[in-house]
Amino acid sequence: MIQKIDHIGIAVRSLAASKPYYEKALGLSSDGEEEVASQKVKTAFFSCGEVHLELLEPTAPDSPIAIFIEKNGEGIHHIAFRTNDIEGQLSQAKDAAVRLVHEVPIEGAGDKLVAFLHPKSTYGVLTEFCTPK
Ligand code: ZN
């Protein structure tokens, strides 16, 4: 079952360049940075009440985030829903004819398991399911 919106992923060229906006202009505080090798990104999380913002900086030219920025520029990349049953959520989506990016969950940032639904079958919104490990 989906429990809440966990975070909003935002693609940026540089964490160093973009973090001051969130810290100084918005007054949010960073929960630290982490590299996610499987996704070829460096992330920084900001708490905003119950929801987090996840800044994503590509670490390689073939990173999904590098490709996204190339195509769309910087900006909102995905919405992540927290679930207590990621496998069940994936099979529910699959049963509803949604195309899955990940058939099985992969390692995500913040010690979570994550899986994505393809934006071509979610009306343009790259959708992530995440669950704490
Ligand atoms: Zn995410």
Side-chain angles (χ1 to χ4, degrees), residues 6-10 43 45 54 56 77-80 109 112 114 116 128-130:
D6 185 84
H7 64 271
I8 297 167
I10 299 167
T43 68
F45 278 92
E54 177 187 41
L56 301 149
H77 178 258
H78 66 272
I79 291 184
K112 281 182 264 184
V114 305
F116 286 86
E128 173 185 333
F129 293 135
C130 65

Side-chain angles (χ1 to χ4, degrees), residues 3 5 19 22 29-30 38 49 68 83 90 101 106 112 118-119 126 129 132:
Q3 299 167 310
I5 292 179
K19 278 178 75 174
Y22 293 93
S29 51
S30 169
S38 66
F68 175 89
T83 171
L90 286 172
V101 175
I106 60 167
K112 281 182 264 184
H118 200 285
L126 179 60
F129 293 135

